Amino acid sequence: MNHETFINYRNYRWMWITVGTLLLSLVVYVINEPAAGRSGGSALGYTYGVIAMIAIVWLMVYGLRKRSYRSSLGTVQGWLAAHVWIGIGLLLFVPLHSAFSFGLNVHTAAYVCMAITIVTGIWGIANYSTLSGKIQAHRGGTKDEALIEQIDALTERIERLCAGKSEQFLALFNRFDFTFRPGLRALLRIHSIPIVEQLVVTQMLRAISETEREDAITMVGMLDQRADLVRLIIEQSRIKALLKVWLYFHVPASVALCLTLAIHILSVFFLW
Ligand code: HEM
Ligand code: HEM
């Protein structure tokens, strides 16, 4: 896999910057021995706290940048690479700030919100890498609107073929017909789309008069084609929903992080 993504952007540039920064911070942490013991309240603890806070503010700004440029993943690849790796790095950097001390308090609540943001972020990129390639429109396939147009056109042609036909003909139609309304429910009902079984079709065709048989075969073919198109559209909508759903966790978690962090910082300045 040679193509560049936001993970391996410029030969993992941001991963190496993050790993380097973490190693350096760890060395300084080990060398530094404050008289009052290591803690978030030591000079180094404060320094690391401020660095972590700046990193978080920067990660939040990412969302604003994304919206103001209305850019796609591709054009913000460098930003996203930095976002992903710096975000993951914070998981280890913040414990260096707090000297690996945690408790049942608002400080640790900030850390937990941060961890949730990071984990949901990882879930998001896992979705991107496994699912985005499956979207046909991304690979030059047919877009949803075009699919819906094709489905409508088929429905119309099927209805025209059915007009004035015998009971047996309509029985064949009813056997494989289904209604499709785009929406959330359709996403959950992909398996209710009938499969055109050749054996059943052959049996039912026998009951249809010869004058109608050719039309019946054309009609069944179109029903089959329509079912395939509907399945395709449902599958694509499902993938698109999965590509978005994690953001409904990532963004609120990041907002909760900002709130708890503000309380953490205010409390250490005013209460300590
Ligand atoms: C301007 C930035 C920050 C400042 C000034 C700051 C300040 C402090 C101080 C003074 C302490 C020591 C409190 C004590 O000894 O009980 C502390 C602990 C801690 N801080 Fe920060 N901090 C900052 C940023 C952060 C960030 C970004 C996080 C995580 C998201 C964080 C998480 C923690 C945690 C988990 C502790 C340990 C709490 C415990 O021991 O129970 N801090 N911080
Ligand atoms: C403390 C850490 C983090 C914060 C505060 C944070 C915050 C944000 C914010 C505010 C957005 C913008 C969402 C929007 O408006 O649509 C965002 C998007 C995103 N974040 Fe994070 N994030 C963090 C860590 C991570 C991590 C660790 C990863 C992945 C491993 C990640 C992956 C993503 C992705 C993939 C996007 C969406 C990109 C896009 O659709 O263009 N984030 N993040």
Side-chain angles (χ1 to χ4, degrees):
M1 247 187 46
N2 283 329
H3 89 271
E4 194 169 71
T5 66
F6 50 87
I7 307 289
N8 64 10
Y9 179 75
R10 305 268 153 96
N11 273 325
Y12 295 92
R13 175 192 285 178
W14 284 101
M15 184 190 83
W16 292 118
I17 292 175
T18 305
V19 170
T21 310
L22 279 174
L23 284 176
L24 188 69
S25 314
L26 181 66
V27 170
V28 175
Y29 176 84
V30 172
I31 294 172
N32 179 263
E33 282 182 21
R38 293 189 180 105
S39 86
S42 71
L44 190 68
Y46 266 95
T47 311
Y48 283 4
V50 171
I51 294 173
M53 188 202 63
I54 293 172
I56 289 169
V57 169
W58 184 85
L59 288 163
M60 293 300 297
V61 167
Y62 172 79
L64 297 176
R65 187 199 126 93
K66 190 187 133 201
R67 287 185 203 284
S68 62
Y69 285 74
R70 294 207 76 245
S71 34
S72 69
L73 269 179
T75 53
V76 286
Q77 215 165 51
W79 273 74
L80 190 51
H83 184 93
V84 164
W85 289 111
I86 293 175
I88 293 175
L90 278 172
L91 211 51
L92 301 169
F93 188 78
V94 170
L96 291 180
H97 152 65
S98 76
F100 296 90
S101 159
F102 295 100
L104 274 178
N105 50 38
V106 69
H107 323 311
T108 303
Y111 185 76
V112 170
C113 292
M114 190 185 78
I116 295 173
T117 314
I118 294 168
V119 170
T120 52
I122 294 173
W123 175 31
I125 51 166
N127 278 355
Y128 278 134
S129 27
T130 54
L131 297 172
S132 60
K134 288 193 187 161
I135 293 210
Q136 287 226 346
H138 282 184
R139 296 181 304 192
T142 323
K143 288 226 166 77
D144 280 359
E145 297 79 23
L147 284 176
I148 290 184
E149 265 172 34
Q150 285 177 30
I151 291 169
D152 286 348
L154 277 171
T155 308
E156 225 180 276
R157 285 171 64 197
I158 293 167
E159 274 167 8
R160 245 184 285 137
L161 271 180
C162 286
K165 290 294 195 305
S166 67
E167 221 174 273
Q168 291 82 352
F169 189 102
L170 295 179
L172 179 61
F173 164 74
N174 285 328
R175 181 73 172 72
F176 298 115
D177 183 39
F178 61 93
T179 44
F180 167 63
R181 282 185 208 88
L184 194 61
R185 277 182 140 190
L187 289 188
L188 308 171
R189 294 179 56 191
I190 191 163
H191 299 296
S192 65
I193 311 295
I195 294 168
V196 176
E197 299 144 273
Q198 214 45 55
L199 202 69
V200 180
V201 173
T202 317
Q203 272 171 3
M204 292 183 85
L205 275 176
R206 275 195 212 117
I208 294 172
S209 71
E210 221 150 285
T211 47
E212 288 185 347
R213 202 163 289 164
E214 206 171 308
D215 277 355
I217 293 168
T218 313
M219 189 260 308
V220 168
M222 286 197 281
L223 278 173
D224 195 21
Q225 212 182 331
R226 190 172 65 143
D228 282 346
L229 289 175
V230 168
R231 267 185 227 108
L232 184 64
I233 209 170
I234 293 177
E235 196 49 39
Q236 299 224 13
S237 311
R238 260 191 184 181
I239 294 173
K240 281 190 208 151
L242 280 175
L243 284 176
K244 277 197 194 138
V245 69
W246 66 277
L247 266 175
Y248 291 96
F249 297 87
H250 193 62
V251 176
S254 70
V255 172
L257 163 62
C258 290
L259 292 176
T260 44
L261 185 58
I263 299 173
H264 166 53
I265 293 169
L266 287 175
S267 74
V268 294
F269 278 126
F270 291 109
L271 302 178
W272 256 258

